[in-house]
Structures are given as C-alpha cells and as structure tokens.
Amino acid sequence: MERIAVIDFETTGISPSSSCRATEIAVVILEQGRIVERYQSLMNAGVRVPAFIEQLTGISNAMLRTAPSAEQVMNEVNEFVGTTPLLAHNAAFDQKFWDFELGQIKRMRLQSFACSLLLARRLMPGAPNHKLGTLTTFANLPHTGKAHRAMADAEMAANLTVHLAEELRQKHGVRELSHDLLCKLQKVPAAKVGEHLKRYRGF
C-alpha cells in the first residue's frame, strides 16, 4: 500500500465555526502496512471547551491554555503531511475540520480523503456496528489508548486500514492497493463490491 496519512481531530463540537474549533490533532503515516511516523499536539484556538466535551475527551480548558496556537499547530501538521493522501474514520467529520483549520492559515487541501468507516461498511458487513472501537474489537486489533483522544484514535484507524487492506488481498484477490482504489471503493454500493473489485484482481 502506498504512503497514507491517517488523521484524527478532537474538537469542541460537530461543525467547525468561529465558536467550534479543533482542540487536538494526531497524524500517523502508514507505509507498507506499518506506522512509520507520528505527529500529535493539543491546539489552542481561543474557544472554550464545553463541560460534556471535556468529560468525553479529557481535554480541559486548563490544558489548552498552555497548548500551542491552532495557527502554529496547523502550519506544523500541514508541513508534516505535505501532499500525502489522507484517510480518517468517519472522514466527513475530520475533512470538515481539516479544511476549516487549513483555511484559517490561508492554506487549501490538495489531496482527497479516504474513509475507513465507509470502507468497513463494505468490507466488514458482519460487524455489530461500524464505530472505530467496535471494529477494533471485532477484528481483534489492539486498542491503542483512551478513545476520543486523537493519537489513540488515529492509530486505531491506521490499524483498521491495514486490516481492511488484508481483507482486500485475502478475500478479493487485490494485490496492489492504492489510495485511489480506496476512494473509489467507498462509493460503491455494498452489494456491488465483489463485482467492482474483479477489475483489480491479480494487479
């Protein structure tokens, strides 16, 4: 599998705005099925963390007071990722915040997002649900730390992606995996996945 950057945000809410911002980001770089590099940082965007979000993530207003600015962190992480293809679990959420936070530093995303949640729905239909923690347990993958902290979730999403790649190899005979293949596959109706993957067998 080609080099992929798996990202995860913790935030103060669901949709980015002047009052809803990222509080933490983590990125792990997957290469040949292994995590080879990591980046993680809290980020202070000058917004308050609601009590229920603090309870969920463990990230407090006190922690953010001493964290680097969102501008500094996004400049660093944008440099770290470069043009590496992106992936996240429930990528629609992380993509919104990635694009918004990049916009705050006058940058624009150049690459597409693959989504391990959409891929798991197609390749792991027997799972009880497609939450990251459930899939991790279902596939007997390691739980890498506290859920709803960015690095633990990014590492679990990366491990899940490696597992999904193995599913494609073992069950569907796909030899060469690309980010582009993942992006196309996540849009294919579940019932047509086998038929869609025939063209990739033996590559």
Side-chain angles (χ1 to χ4, degrees):
M1 192 194 306
E2 68 183 303
R3 186 177 170 94
I4 293 176
V6 182
I7 78 167
D8 187 83
F9 278 104
E10 300 305 327
T11 70
T12 61
I14 294 172
S15 293
S17 68
S18 58
S19 58
C20 178
R21 298 286 299 275
T23 56
E24 185 179 39
I25 186 170
V27 183
V28 297
I29 304 294
L30 265 182
E31 211 169 71
Q32 302 300 321
R34 289 174 42 248
I35 295 173
V36 295
E37 294 178 68
R38 291 173 172 82
Y39 176 96
Q40 179 274 331
S41 183
L42 292 169
M43 48 199 292
N44 184 350
V47 297
R48 281 196 63 75
V49 180
F52 77 96
I53 294 287
E54 181 176 338
Q55 196 169 10
L56 178 70
T57 65
I59 298 170
S60 67
N61 288 295
M63 290 164 67
L64 293 185
R65 272 196 290 273
T66 56
S69 69
E71 180 181 9
Q72 177 186 329
V73 172
M74 288 308 298
N75 273 300
E76 288 176 0
V77 76
N78 187 48
E79 192 71 24
F80 177 76
V81 169
T83 57
T84 303
L86 293 161
L87 179 144
H89 196 75
N90 190 17
F93 174 85
D94 294 280
Q95 180 178 316
K96 281 190 300 187
F97 279 91
W98 180 259
D99 289 350
F100 182 86
E101 296 294 349
L102 276 185
Q104 300 303 297
I105 60 166
K106 306 293 190 290
R107 298 284 187 275
M108 184 184 284
R109 174 169 54 91
L110 301 174
Q111 63 273 63
S112 54
F113 262 91
C115 178
S116 55
L117 185 151
L118 294 178
L119 290 163
R121 282 180 179 162
R122 285 148 179 81
L123 298 172
M124 299 171 69
N129 61 58
H130 294 90
K131 295 177 180 176
L132 185 55
T134 304
L135 291 167
T136 295
T137 300
F138 182 75
N140 293 315
L141 300 170
H143 283 266
T144 52
K146 176 180 164 52
H148 302 297
R149 286 304 299 266
M151 182 54 77
D153 285 353
E155 288 184 343
M156 282 195 286
N159 291 335
L160 175 62
T161 301
V162 173
H163 177 78
L164 293 171
E166 200 55 35
E167 291 279 301
L168 284 166
R169 289 189 191 94
Q170 298 293 334
K171 293 187 178 177
H172 297 280
V174 178
R175 295 289 165 244
E176 282 298 320
L177 292 170
S178 67
H179 185 265
D180 183 60
L181 184 156
L182 299 180
C183 288
K184 287 176 179 170
L185 181 61
Q186 68 195 22
K187 297 174 184 173
V188 174
K192 295 186 176 179
V193 163
E195 181 187 335
H196 175 79
L197 288 172
K198 283 179 183 176
R199 72 191 72 175
Y200 297 102
R201 284 177 187 160
F203 280 21

